[in-house]
Amino acid sequence: MSDVASISISHLTVKFGGLTALDDVFLSIAPNTIVGLIGPNGAGKTTIFNAISGLLTPTSGEISIAGKESKWPASHELVDFGISRTLQGVGLFSGLTVLENVMMGADINRGSNFAKDLLGLSGRAEAKLKRKALDALAWAGALDMADKMPSKLTYPETKRVSIARALVSEPKVLLLDEPAAGLGQDDIDKFAALLKQLKKRCAIIIVEHHVDFIGEISDQVYVLNFGKVIASGTFDRVKRDPAVLAAYLGTSHQTGTDQLGASHA
Ligand SMILES: Nc1ncnc2c1ncn2[C@@H]1O[C@H](COP(=O)(O)OP(=O)(O)OP(=O)(O)O)[C@@H](O)[C@H]1O
Ligand SMILES: [Mg+2]
C-alpha cells in the first residue's frame, strides 16, 4: 500500500463576504484510513466538504489528490478525481427500487441526467452498472434491500442505501457529512462496524457530532473551531487537548454524549 495521501489540503481559506469560514486549514488523509472532523456548530466542517467536492471555490489554498497537486475539483469532475460524498437532503426516488436508486448514484455523482443516460446505455453497459451497484450495496451491508421500494425501508436502512449510492462510482475517498444523525445507539454501533469494513475499500472523511462514534472509528481526528484546526491526531490525544476541551465546554448547544469533555476527559 502506498503512503501517498489520498487527499492533502494546505492553506485552505474560505471567506463568505466578511466571514472567514475556514482559515488556513491543513488536512491530510492516508489511503484506507478514516479521518474524523469534529467541532462545534458553524466551525467550518461542511465548508471543508464543499471545497473538496466543488460546491464552492476556495478563497485560497491547495489540494493534492493521490500525491499530485491538483486544481480544486468541480462537482461534475468528482468521479474522475475519485471522490464521492453522500448527498444530504437528496432522498431516494420513490418510484425506483433500491438497486435502481443506487445505479443512479453513478450518474448523480457525475452531475448528469440519469434518465437520459440510462435509456442510452447498451445492455452490456447496463449490466456492468448493475454489477457495480450490487457490489456497492454489498459493501454498505444492504444487498438484501436491492429489490425493495424505498418506502419499505427503515430509516437506518436508507442511510446504508445512501452510502451504497455514493460507493457506486468506486471512489478512492468518501466524504460523509453527519451519516449517523438521527440513529439510535444500536444502529450507530452497527454503522461503526460497517465503516471499519469500508475503509478497506476507500479512505473516509467523516463529519459527526457523535463524538463517541468518531472516537471509535477514526484513525485521525481534526478538531475545528471558528474555521481553524485547533487540534489533530489520534482521538485519545485530541480529547485531552486543553484547546479542544475549552472549545467544547464553551458551547452550550451540544448535549449529552455529544459533549467531549463530560464523558471522555
Ligand atoms: N454559503 C454560505 N454563505 C455564507 N456563509 C456560510 C455559507 N456556508 C457556510 N457559511 C458559514 O460558514 C461557517 C461555517 O459553516 P459550516 O456549515 O461549514 O459549519 P459546520 O461546522 O458544518 O456546522 P454544523 O455542525 O452546524 O453543520 C458558519 O458561520 C456558516 O454560517
Ligand atoms: Mg455542517
Side-chain angles (χ1 to χ4, degrees), residues 128-139:
K128 188 174 165 200
L129 179 56
K130 189 170 169 184
R131 267 201 313 278
K132 283 188 184 185
L134 289 169
D135 180 57
L137 280 164
W139 275 92

Side-chain angles (χ1 to χ4, degrees), residues 105-145:
D107 230 67
I108 293 174
N109 298 344
R110 278 194 190 277
S112 55
N113 182 330
F114 171 76
K116 187 179 94 224
D117 290 358
L118 190 62
L119 290 174
L121 282 180
S122 66
R124 207 164 53 185
E126 190 183 338
K128 188 174 165 200
L129 179 56
K130 189 170 169 184
R131 267 201 313 278
K132 283 188 184 185
L134 289 169
D135 180 57
L137 280 164
W139 275 92
L143 194 52
D144 55 339
M145 299 163 209

Side-chain angles (χ1 to χ4, degrees), residues 40-47 88 177-178 207 209:
N41 292 110
K45 304 177 298 293
T46 298
T47 303
Q88 245 179 340
D177 198 352
E178 302 197 28
V207 168
H209 283 289

Side-chain angles (χ1 to χ4, degrees), residues 11-113:
H11 299 296
L12 172 60
T13 294
V14 174
K15 294 186 181 178
F16 297 112
L19 176 95
T20 302
L22 292 176
D23 186 2
D24 203 30
V25 165
F26 287 71
L27 186 151
S28 184
I29 179 162
N32 305 104
T33 64
I34 298 180
V35 159
L37 294 185
I38 59 174
N41 292 110
K45 304 177 298 293
T46 298
T47 303
I48 292 183
F49 277 15
N50 289 346
I52 297 173
S53 56
L55 293 182
L56 59 80
T57 306
T59 309
S60 56
E62 294 87 47
I63 184 167
S64 294
I65 298 173
K68 288 200 197 95
E69 261 182 63
S70 167
K71 68 186 194 70
W72 290 89
S75 52
H76 65 274
E77 296 168 329
L78 287 184
V79 173
D80 300 327
F81 280 88
I83 298 168
S84 187
R85 70 183 287 180
T86 48
L87 298 149
Q88 245 179 340
V90 177
L92 300 175
F93 292 89
S94 58
L96 300 177
T97 65
V98 162
L99 177 63
E100 287 163 344
N101 268 284
V102 173
M103 288 169 73
M104 289 186 73
D107 230 67
I108 293 174
N109 298 344
R110 278 194 190 277
S112 55
N113 182 330

